[in-house]
Amino acid sequence: MKRILIVGSTGQIGSELSVKLRSIYGESNVICGYYKPPFPKDFFELGPCVEIDATDINQIATTVKEHKIDTIYNLAAILSATAEKNPKLGWDVGLNSLMNCLDVAREMNCAVFTPSSIGAFGPNTPKDKTPQDTIQRPNTVYGITKVMGELLSDYYYTRWGVDTRSVRFPGIISNMTHPGGGTTDYAVEIYYNAVQGEKFTCPVKAGTYMDMMYMPDALNAAIQLMEADPSRLIHRNSFNIAAMSFDPEMIYAAIKKHTPDFEMEYDIDPLKQAIADSWPNSLDDSCAREEWDWKPEYDLEKMTEDMIAVLRSRLLQNT
Ligand code: AKB
């Protein structure tokens, strides 16, 4: 059985990945690394957890050794809009943490999963059906750390055989933990407003298309890739994956089918708009489909139905 360490387990992805990994590999085989509050409900009761500052290699090394870890999911990151406001922090958390994980993995023979992002592309990248292998000249610090992360991960694989794998996540839509600081966060927040009967103010313009994905598909992607037969992998860091691409008008229309009185207005955030404009409209994920059978389950309609049902039962149960 795998022995897994999740670095950054209390964030948007980690809080749900930890539950899923524990359901597959067993509670005691998944160690949740946490850095700072807020912690998900019952966090400390759900299984082993350990405080880790991912920018300190000794803390990662000690945990890997003590808990006999063989697989690291490295989720420590500062999302795109926040990183633009504090580039040094974006770099330290995004890249130094990864390098620490890679060094520990090399020394102690671990596999490493790290999320890359649609942010690894930039304004010169082909915008529609962006190919797997293409121009990557991002103009955000977040994107720069993602490209560097992809290259470093491949370097550790080719030079030292470290089993590194990663996917380029689109905006991830979820209902457990808020993302915080990303350019795609609007596509999460809009559901909360709709269910709570509040008007939504959208920070990016109509016509701004970005790839998005529902959390269950994102979790499956990470786990499926880490379980994939290595002999089939031509690529490693990092695979394009895609599920849906929409603009604010499309998600608004999908939500309005369930909440006809819901209203949306625009108040453009120039930073988020500039970042979104530099990213692709949609990725071509055919390599992931060919090399490890990637296939998403949720499109915009199916995701919207589920998001609304889950949030209604959670947020409105006492009203
Ligand atoms: C962000 O918006 O920064 C992230 C991402 C697409 O990587 N959600």
Side-chain angles (χ1 to χ4, degrees):
M1 194 56 90
K2 279 189 198 299
R3 296 277 304 162
I4 297 172
L5 170 64
I6 308 176
V7 175
S9 69
T10 58
Q12 185 197 15
I13 301 177
S15 59
E16 297 200 42
L17 184 66
S18 53
V19 175
K20 177 114 189 172
L21 288 173
R22 280 178 169 156
S23 75
I24 298 171
Y25 301 106
E27 210 168 88
S28 59
N29 288 319
V30 179
I31 318 301
C32 285
Y34 63 93
Y35 179 48
K36 57 180 183 188
F39 303 116
K41 202 166 141 267
D42 304 335
F43 178 70
F44 294 99
E45 285 93 67
L46 290 174
C49 38
V50 54
E51 188 169 0
I52 292 188
D53 173 355
T55 61
D56 178 352
I57 191 167
N58 295 323
Q59 295 187 27
I60 302 174
T62 306
T63 307
V64 166
K65 202 168 176 185
E66 266 175 20
H67 293 270
K68 300 186 171 46
I69 298 297
D70 55 43
T71 305
I72 302 173
Y73 282 80
N74 166 40
L75 307 179
I78 302 291
L79 293 183
S80 54
T82 304
E84 272 323 274
K85 290 176 196 152
N86 192 343
K88 173 86 172 70
L89 180 70
W91 181 271
D92 281 347
V93 176
L95 213 51
N96 293 343
S97 305
L98 170 62
M99 194 131 185
N100 289 341
C101 289
L102 292 172
D103 278 333
V104 171
R106 182 186 159 205
E107 179 87 18
M108 303 193 199
N109 202 18
C110 301
V112 181
F113 173 85
T114 308
S116 185
S117 160
I118 52 173
F121 297 112
N124 306 325
T125 302
K127 276 219 164 301
D128 296 301
K129 288 274 158 210
T130 303
Q132 170 69 38
D133 302 308
T134 185
I135 303 165
Q136 288 185 267
R137 302 276 300 170
N139 57 4
T140 61
V141 73
Y142 179 71
I144 293 166
T145 63
K146 291 300 180 193
V147 177
M148 293 283 293
E150 291 185 8
L151 295 172
L152 256 188
S153 299
D154 271 343
Y155 179 78
Y156 272 67
Y157 170 65
T158 48
R159 178 139 190 216
W160 291 299
V162 180
D163 185 1
T164 55
R165 307 180 188 194
S166 82
V167 295
R168 293 179 182 133
F169 277 132
I172 296 175
I173 293 157
S174 64
N175 47 51
M176 198 188 271
T177 306
H178 286 276
T183 304
T184 57
D185 292 10
Y186 90 87
V188 177
E189 287 152 13
I190 191 170
Y191 286 104
Y192 281 80
N193 283 47
V195 167
Q196 288 168 317
E198 291 162 14
K199 190 173 190 174
F200 180 65
T201 305
C202 186
V204 294
K205 287 182 200 150
T208 306
Y209 283 81
M210 285 183 278
D211 261 321
M212 303 278 180
M213 182 174 291
Y214 197 29
M215 183 63 93
D217 280 330
L219 301 181
N220 283 341
I223 296 167
Q224 206 182 325
L225 175 59
M226 291 310 280
E227 287 291 347
D229 172 358
S231 69
R232 287 182 63 198
L233 301 181
I234 298 163
H235 298 85
R236 276 180 170 266
N237 303 285
S238 188
F239 282 94
N240 282 4
I241 53 170
M244 62 190 97
S245 169
F246 56 74
D247 85 324
E249 291 295 315
M250 287 171 69
I251 188 171
Y252 175 56
I255 293 173
K256 235 174 134 57
K257 284 187 199 156
H258 300 263
T259 54
D261 296 335
F262 180 46
E263 286 176 45
M264 180 172 82
E265 63 184 0
Y266 289 93
D267 182 12
I268 306 310
D269 174 334
L271 173 62
K272 289 190 175 173
Q273 187 64 50
I275 297 174
D277 287 343
S278 76
W279 288 354
N281 296 334
S282 65
L283 302 191
D284 173 356
D285 62 358
S286 49
C287 289
R289 289 175 186 259
E290 277 157 31
E291 292 173 40
W292 47 279
D293 307 318
W294 157 246
K295 194 169 180 288
E297 272 180 37
Y298 288 87
D299 61 13
L300 177 57
E301 301 305 321
K302 192 170 168 194
M303 173 180 77
T304 300
E305 211 173 285
D306 199 59
M307 278 293 283
I308 302 262
V310 172
L311 290 178
R312 267 191 186 143
S313 87
R314 172 139 37 86
L315 302 176
L316 306 182
Q317 64 190 357
N318 297 325
T319 57

